[in-house]
Amino acid sequence: MKAKQLDPNKLRIPKPAHPVNRREPLPGECPKPSEEDPHAPARVQAIFESPSYRRADADLDFLARDSMRGVRLQIDYFKPELLFEEHHIHHTIVIFGSTRICEPAAAQCKVDALKAALAADIGNEDLARRLSIAERILAKSQYYEVARELGRRVSATHQAPNRQLRVVVTGGGPGIMEAANRGAFDVGAKSVGLNISLPHEQYPNPYITPDLCFNFHYFAMRKLHFLLRAKALVAFPGGYGTPDELFEVLTLVQTRKIKPIPVVLVGESYWRQAVNLDFLVDEGVIDQEDRELFWFAEAADEIWNGILHWHDVSGEPLHVRERNSSSQS
């Protein structure tokens, strides 16, 4: 038996309403006319201009209140987290180091300029001191190339649109961090920069993937995102910021607050002078096993092969084919 066909005209079914527009505006869509109250338009404008009328998510003054710190912490966490997920980033290699260690050519230019200035002003103690520091930076500029090569090695394989293994993460600034992001850029791979807002404007280095450069408000959230997906920490010579991140990771691993990860200090001669960790063992303030939470390395291959070996020994290799792939890249 055939079903009866319904006739919309007989049932008087109205057309669907427009999703936005109305044939007749609602009363609230029209302001009170000045003909009814000449002061009404000014009063409505005063309401529009009042901070209370701003939508909460668009009211920066409201969000900046001390009482809204919890909300700010949440969004400081969630924005990078969601974008990491959208880009399918699951494993990261975190690389720290000084913002002052520039590429060798730039370091050499600074030394040459200071030598010329000192030659024109012999005996200028300030210029002599600055030249001595510039020459030390020039000597350490080799690490820029090591960091750049490490960025290439980490990023050379196993990156695809729907899966990102071994993504380089840095603090987003110049120097060693620029070099590591640049290495990833050299091989067409994504890399991440976790910048932090400071009183004086700073520029991210130009080699970070634009969609993966973040600007944090809170150091705590920035540090959290450094470690959430980290499969290794590589610390090049650096100032206050680098040991800050390094010692936080060592403390978290020492206390097993996080699972152990490989920690590599690049530049043994630098680190042995900057921090005497053997002294801490001898003094009894850390144990010998705490000294074994990191090792020294110099070249990119040595760093990367050491990280792969550490993961193999741990029973959780980064990827079953990574060792062969990295040796062929």
Side-chain angles (χ1 to χ4, degrees), residues 43-99:
R43 288 171 179 160
V44 171
Q45 186 60 35
I47 291 171
F48 281 155
E49 293 174 358
S50 171
S52 69
Y53 196 74
R54 295 176 198 156
R55 210 175 64 201
D57 61 344
D59 189 345
L60 297 182
D61 292 332
F62 171 70
L63 291 173
R65 291 184 178 190
D66 286 346
S67 57
M68 295 302 294
R69 184 170 289 115
V71 173
R72 294 198 302 273
L73 282 162
Q74 284 185 309
I75 59 177
D76 221 27
Y77 164 75
F78 272 119
K79 182 179 179 181
E81 179 68 14
L82 292 174
L83 287 170
F84 271 114
E85 290 297 327
E86 287 176 8
H87 284 264
H88 306 285
I89 294 174
H90 304 298
H91 296 167
T92 60
I93 305 297
V94 179
I95 301 175
F96 289 121
S98 176
T99 60

Side-chain angles (χ1 to χ4, degrees), residues 2-11:
K2 292 184 179 180
K4 291 182 178 180
Q5 297 293 325
L6 297 179
D7 185 345
N9 294 322
K10 289 183 177 180
L11 294 175

Side-chain angles (χ1 to χ4, degrees), residues 44-170:
V44 171
Q45 186 60 35
I47 291 171
F48 281 155
E49 293 174 358
S50 171
S52 69
Y53 196 74
R54 295 176 198 156
R55 210 175 64 201
D57 61 344
D59 189 345
L60 297 182
D61 292 332
F62 171 70
L63 291 173
R65 291 184 178 190
D66 286 346
S67 57
M68 295 302 294
R69 184 170 289 115
V71 173
R72 294 198 302 273
L73 282 162
Q74 284 185 309
I75 59 177
D76 221 27
Y77 164 75
F78 272 119
K79 182 179 179 181
E81 179 68 14
L82 292 174
L83 287 170
F84 271 114
E85 290 297 327
E86 287 176 8
H87 284 264
H88 306 285
I89 294 174
H90 304 298
H91 296 167
T92 60
I93 305 297
V94 179
I95 301 175
F96 289 121
S98 176
T99 60
R100 302 166 193 258
I101 298 178
C102 53
E103 54 188 305
Q108 185 65 62
C109 284
K110 189 164 187 179
V111 167
D112 293 344
L114 286 168
K115 280 183 176 179
L118 187 59
D121 188 8
I122 298 173
N124 187 315
E125 293 183 0
D126 181 60
L127 282 175
R129 180 187 64 82
R130 290 166 59 194
L131 174 59
S132 176
I133 292 172
E135 289 173 335
R136 286 175 177 269
I137 293 292
L138 176 60
K140 289 191 286 291
S141 67
Q142 61 170 314
Y143 292 121
Y144 184 99
E145 297 299 340
V146 174
R148 185 174 179 180
E149 177 59 25
L150 179 61
R152 293 191 194 105
R153 298 286 291 177
V154 170
S155 307
T157 56
H158 297 300
Q159 294 212 28
N162 63 345
R163 196 179 189 197
Q164 308 297 323
L165 296 179
R166 303 183 345 205
V167 177
V168 167
V169 173
T170 77

Side-chain angles (χ1 to χ4, degrees), residues 244-261:
D244 171 50
E245 303 291 352
L246 169 64
F247 276 95
E248 181 150 24
V249 172
L250 289 176
T251 301
L252 290 170
V253 174
Q254 177 197 47
T255 58
R256 301 303 190 268
K257 188 68 175 176
I258 63 172
K259 290 178 64 175
I261 61 172

Side-chain angles (χ1 to χ4, degrees), residues 274-294:
V275 185
N276 191 340
L277 291 163
D278 292 327
F279 170 76
L280 298 183
V281 175
D282 293 339
E283 289 294 302
V285 293
I286 65 172
D287 296 319
Q288 179 59 40
E289 65 178 287
D290 301 322
R291 169 61 182 81
E292 296 166 2
L293 297 178
F294 66 91

